Each structure stands twice: as C-alpha cells, then as structure tokens.
C-alpha cells in the first residue's frame, strides 16, 4: 500500500460513494457511530487530556469538564432522543386537497459534510458538531486545527480507529489543506473560528451553493447593575473569563458598569482571582497557557490599555499571562478594538443601563451577552433592546452547556446554530412530503 496521503478530492469521492450506498442512513448506523465515539472518549480520555495539556496547558479537570465529558453529555443527550427527533412530523392539509390527503416533514441527511474546528477547544469543537452530523446520517470530513497539533494528531489517530472509515475521514493541516478541501463540493460546511476565515469559507461554499454554519466570535459584553452582590458577580466573572486562560469564544470580553460599582468590583475581582488561582497563578495547575507566541505577543500589547487592578505579569517562554483586570479603560483603547480572546478583563464605566445598551448596540452583535442584575426590568430591557447569539443572566458560559438551547451567533458573531436537536436540524434537510392516495 502507498503511504501517499489521500488527496481531498479522493476523500470526498470515497465518502460520497459510501453515502450513496445508503449505509449511513439507518438509525442503527448513526447510534452505532455515536456509541463508538463515546467509547473513544471514555477509553482514550487520558490520551486526549494529555494532548490538550500539551497544546494549551489545560488541566486534566478542565480537559474533562469542557471537552471530553462535555462531548459525552452531548452524545448521551442525542442517543436518548434521536428516535423521537427523527419521527416524521404531520402537517395539517388544506381542505382543497381532500380528506384523504396527508402531509408531513421528515429529516433527510445532507450527504458529505465538512467540519472545520479551531484550536481553543480543539476536541469539543470538532467532535460536538460531528455528533450532530453523524446523528443526522451524514458522511463527515473532520478538519482539526493545526494550531493545537497534539490534539489534532491524537484525533487523526483515534477517530479512524473507532469510527466507520468509509464514512468518516480526518484531514489534518492548515491553510493549504483547508483551501484544497474547500474547493470540493460538500453538502454542508460547518466552520468554527474567526470571521475573516469565515468569509473565506462562505465564499468557497458559495461556488457550490453549499450551505454553511459559521460559529464565530467577537466581543461578548457584561453589564453589572448597581444592585448586584459583587462577591458573587466577581467569582462567576472570574471563573468564566479565566477558564482556558480567556481563550473561550463566549468568555466575558469586557464589563460595563457605573463608576461606583466599578470601584467596588475592582477589589472583588482581585479577591476572586486570588481565591481561584492563588497568589501566583503561574504555579497553579488549574490555570492554562496562551496557545502560541503570536497570540502571546498580541495579548501583551493590550496590557497597557488601562490601570492594572490585578495580574499583568507575563512570561513569554512559558506562554503565561496572569489573569488580569484593567480599570479606567477608554472605549477607543487597543483592548477594545478587537476580541480579546485571552486573560484580560477591562472594566469600562457608563452612566447606567441606557448608556450600556447604546454602547452594545453601537458595536457588532455579540456571540454572548451577560447581565448581572436583581432587577427583572433591567434584564427584560436588555433582552428586548439588544441582539446577541445568546444571553446569560447571572452566569457566563453556562447557556452553551444546555443541550436543549441552540448555540450560535448572529450577524458578525455567526450564522446558524447547533447542539442537541438543533444539530440534527443543521445537518439535515427537512423534506416536505404530500401523500394523496391513488384510489
Ligand atoms: P484557528 O486559527 O484554529 O482557525 C480555525 C480553522 O480555520 C482551523 O481549522 C484552520 O485550519 C482554518 N483556517 C485558518 N485559515 C484558513 C484559511 N485561510 N482558509 C481556510 N481555512 C482556514 O482558530 P481561530 O480562528 O483563531 O479561532 C478563534 C476564533 O474562533 C475566535 O474569534 C473565537 O471567538 C472563535 N470561536 C468561536 C466559537 C463558536 O462556537 N462560535 C468557538 C470557538 C472559537
């Protein structure tokens, strides 16, 4: 046998041939693949956790919580409900078609789909879309991120060992390999990453009229109301922000609050960081590292954007940036010009809710928006007067762990969504069927 890697065109042709045989359509094949994926995660969890540690300094606890067990939960949720979800849904028929006509919708698999994943949760963000793609009965080409090379290599080795290799292929690589893949005709492209590449993906897909899901990022704001218990707020903000060293698409990006609350929130955040990671977070096993030098340099250039409340220490050799909170931050400063995607939390002051809503609406629609307020009126106003992919009251990040909620962005933060039943919808065609008896 030759050792020459298979070309993208050959991979897609091979998977399409499998799809044409109908092998991936029976629900037994789908659930069988999901069970194998679950076995892979439980049996090979330690290897994946070691790869995630090598790529991002992720602790074992964090690797299991946010990647391995997260995906297992998504599989279990799907396995428990797939039969129900796949049941054809009857539709009322208008009188002019007669009493004997019936109508329904059914989910059809799309065919061969491409899943492109980023480096920040490099296992979860490849495998969790795959759960939906397989549950929907598709063949899948999975492209892990080259910026998490240990995880990419582990997945490229493990997935073929567990899954049906005639219907699932892993293609490793960076821009040239992904560009070559995108030249092929897929039936759906599911991309997670930044908006600049999102545009490249959408353009390439347009050539084949292939639908896309774009799971993008951006700046996810936080509004802290003056009545809030700041000890609780600071603890939850710090946990959400500094998980994975801030490299989370729905991490709180910046805080908006009034000047008095800001002044009280500063020491509360400093205390929360110390409670979570100790006096020297670099020595704390639970605290992660920046993915590479390029991102390290980008992030350290943002540290002068305000007065340092806590953190600010860096170590380039270790790709370490301390959990950092900045105060007195100007809206025009560098830290406010891009998605931070690192462990830096700026606090900006506004006069109150009206100004906070205007500030948010003046910018791109966020992937997530968080409100800490005891006032139902405040929460309802933010819900009604802003647009964001998701909205969290009192707890950052958690909405994406609810499998019955769609996860996705709006506008610049993305298009389409997934998780649970929404993944089935993303990776299926909902076919309309009308039946009129012949006699
Ligand atoms: P990345 O650099 O790993 O890129 C993502 C994928 O795109 C990789 O597989 C990469 O190989 C591919 N790619 C890169 N350049 C390409 C090109 N020119 N053509 C084709 N493919 C190309 O990850 P990233 O973009 O740095 O990820 C971080 C961004 O992703 C942040 O903006 C973050 O908010 C966002 N994100 C969003 C979600 C979400 O679920 N909405 C989740 C995680 C990250």
């Amino acid at each position: 046998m030759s050792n020459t890697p298979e070309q993208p065109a050959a991979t897609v042709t091979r998977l399409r041939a499998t799809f044409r045989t109908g092998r991936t359509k029976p629900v037994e094949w789908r659930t069988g693949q999901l069970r194998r994926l679950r076995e892979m995660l439980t049996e090979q969890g330690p290897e994946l956790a070691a790869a995630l540690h090598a790529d991002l300094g992720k602790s074992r606890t964090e690797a299991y919580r946010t990647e391995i067990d997260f995906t297992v939960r998504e599989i279990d949720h799907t396995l428990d409900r797939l039969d129900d979800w796949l049941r054809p849904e009857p539709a009322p028929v208008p009188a002019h078609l007669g009493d004997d006509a019936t109508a329904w919708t059914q989910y059809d698999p799309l065919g061969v789909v491409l899943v492109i994943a980023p480096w920040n949760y490099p296992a979860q963000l490849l495998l969790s879309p795959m759960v939906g793609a397989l549950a929907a009965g598709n063949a899948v080409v999975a492209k892990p991120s080259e910026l998490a090379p240990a995880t990419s290599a582990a997945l490229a080795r493990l997935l073929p060992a567990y899954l049906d290799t005639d219907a699932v292929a892993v293609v490793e690589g960076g821009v040239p390999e992904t560009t070559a893949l995108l030249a092929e005709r897929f039936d759906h492209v599911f991309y997670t990453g930044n908006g600049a590449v999102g545009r490249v993906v959408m353009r390439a897909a347009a050539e084949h009229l292939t639908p896309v899901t774009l799971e993008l990022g951006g700046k996810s704001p936080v509004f802290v109301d003056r009545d809030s218990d700041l000890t609780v707020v600071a603890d939850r903000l710090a946990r959400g922000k500094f998980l994975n060293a801030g490299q989370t698409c729905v991490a709180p990006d910046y805080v908006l609050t009034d000047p008095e609350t800001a002044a009280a929130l500063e020491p509360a955040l400093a205390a929360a960081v110390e409670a979570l990671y100790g006096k020297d977070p670099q020595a704390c096993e639970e605290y992660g590292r920046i993915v590479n030098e390029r991102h390290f340099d980008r992030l350290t250039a943002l540290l002068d954007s305000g007065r340092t409340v806590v953190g600010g220490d860096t170590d380039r050799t270790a790709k370490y940036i301390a959990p950092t909170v900045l105060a007195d931050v100007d809206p025009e400063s560098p830290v406010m010009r891009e998605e931070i995607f690192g462990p830096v939390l700026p606090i900006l002051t506004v006069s109150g809710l009206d100004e906070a809503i205007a500030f948010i609406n003046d910018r791109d629609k966020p992937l997530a928006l968080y409100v800490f307020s005891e006032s139902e009126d405040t929460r309802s106003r933010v819900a009604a007067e802003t647009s964001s992919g998701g909205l969290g009251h009192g707890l950052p990040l958690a909405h994406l762990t609810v499998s019955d909620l769609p996860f996705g962005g709006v506008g610049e933060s993305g298009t389409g969504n997934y998780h649970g039943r929404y993944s089935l919808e993303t990776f299926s065609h909902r076919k309309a069927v009308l039946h009129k008896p012949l006699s």
Side-chain angles (χ1 to χ4, degrees):
M1 221 169 99
S2 139
N3 284 328
T4 318
E6 191 176 44
Q7 292 302 303
T11 306
V12 177
T13 305
R14 189 166 61 77
L15 267 53
R16 195 171 292 292
T18 306
F19 182 74
R20 286 261 178 84
T21 65
R23 165 149 142 203
T24 65
K25 289 189 178 175
V27 74
E28 293 73 25
W29 182 88
R30 308 179 191 195
T31 53
Q33 293 300 295
L34 294 181
R35 287 201 185 88
R36 289 292 288 157
L37 190 54
R38 193 185 196 289
E39 271 165 39
M40 182 192 102
L41 289 161
T42 47
E43 290 171 6
Q44 309 295 339
E47 177 173 346
L48 283 171
L52 291 162
H53 187 266
D55 286 330
L56 288 149
K58 270 189 210 209
S59 72
R60 193 186 154 85
T61 323
E62 194 173 312
Y64 270 88
R65 187 156 64 92
T66 65
E67 309 233 27
I68 300 164
D69 290 346
F70 181 100
T71 313
V72 168
R73 270 213 322 278
E74 182 72 8
I75 292 173
D76 289 345
H77 180 87
T78 305
L79 282 172
D80 284 349
R81 294 163 181 77
L82 189 58
D83 282 332
D84 265 1
W85 293 342
L86 289 174
R87 214 160 277 143
E89 199 175 305
V93 174
H96 72 265
L97 292 174
D99 284 350
D100 58 348
T102 50
W104 65 89
T105 57
Q106 69 179 56
Y107 288 111
D108 281 355
L110 293 170
V112 184
V113 304
L114 172 63
V115 176
I116 305 174
W119 52 265
N120 62 330
Y121 290 86
Q124 184 215 129
L125 294 174
L126 189 78
L127 301 178
S128 170
M130 284 179 70
V131 172
L134 293 169
N138 297 287
V140 186
V141 177
K143 216 300 284 173
S145 175
E146 74 282 16
L147 298 185
T151 311
S152 175
L155 291 168
R157 197 179 67 70
L158 294 174
L159 283 168
Y162 281 83
L163 300 184
D164 179 347
T165 50
D166 291 330
V168 179
V170 181
V171 176
E172 286 195 87
V175 177
E177 291 79 5
T178 319
T179 306
L181 271 176
L182 284 168
E184 297 303 316
R185 187 172 75 76
F186 287 92
D187 299 290
H188 194 92
V189 177
F190 189 106
Y191 168 80
T192 305
N194 68 75
V197 176
R199 284 166 169 79
V200 172
V201 169
M202 204 169 186
R203 255 183 238 121
E207 281 303 313
H208 301 287
L209 285 180
T210 295
V212 292
T213 301
L214 301 177
E215 294 283 338
L216 310 177
K219 293 179 89 61
S220 294
V222 179
F223 176 68
V224 180
D225 211 353
R226 66 172 71 242
D227 60 2
S228 315
D229 178 336
L230 295 181
T231 309
V232 174
V233 172
D235 172 64
R236 294 187 187 175
L237 262 182
R239 285 177 195 274
K241 175 71 189 189
F242 301 117
L243 180 80
N244 200 22
Q247 300 162 114
T248 302
C249 56
V250 285
D253 189 277
Y254 62 93
V255 175
L256 294 172
T257 193
D258 63 89
E260 299 78 50
T261 309
L265 186 59
E266 289 178 24
L269 276 167
V273 168
E274 191 178 322
L276 279 174
Y277 303 111
K279 280 196 187 314
D280 177 14
Q282 189 163 9
C284 175
E285 255 184 36
E286 287 306 314
Y287 187 64
R289 295 294 179 266
I290 304 307
V291 65
N292 57 29
E293 279 80 10
R294 184 171 70 80
H295 280 284
F296 176 92
D297 293 340
R298 177 184 67 76
L299 285 161
T300 48
L302 306 179
L303 294 174
D304 292 335
S305 297
R307 172 171 53 82
T308 307
V309 173
V310 63
D313 311 325
T314 65
D315 175 349
R316 194 169 192 274
T317 320
K319 290 179 282 189
Y320 165 79
I321 299 181
T324 300
V325 176
L326 301 176
D328 307 333
V329 173
D330 187 283
E332 302 305 320
S333 63
V335 80
M336 290 303 293
R337 284 195 217 126
E338 59 184 87
E339 177 182 0
I340 299 169
F341 219 53
V344 185
L345 182 66
I347 304 175
L348 286 86
T349 53
V350 285
S351 55
L353 181 61
D354 286 339
E355 200 181 324
I357 289 175
F359 191 96
I360 293 161
N361 288 338
D362 278 346
R363 289 163 175 77
D364 290 336
K365 291 179 182 175
L367 182 58
L369 172 55
Y370 302 113
V371 180
F372 289 91
S373 176
E374 297 282 5
S375 152
E376 195 176 337
D377 184 53
T378 298
R379 297 195 301 264
S380 311
R381 276 201 58 200
V382 174
E385 295 176 34
T386 64
S387 175
S388 58
L391 175 63
H393 291 158
L395 191 59
L397 274 48
H399 61 290
L400 80 78
T401 66
V402 182
S403 293
D404 283 314
L405 285 176
F407 177 64
V410 55
E412 278 286 322
S413 57
T415 180
N417 53 56
Y418 73 128
H419 286 176
R421 182 180 191 135
Y422 300 96
S423 294
L424 178 72
E425 292 188 2
T426 288
F427 288 108
S428 303
H429 167 60
R430 198 178 247 224
K431 186 156 72 185
V433 185
L434 174 83
H435 172 68
K436 174 79 178 168
L438 287 174
S439 53

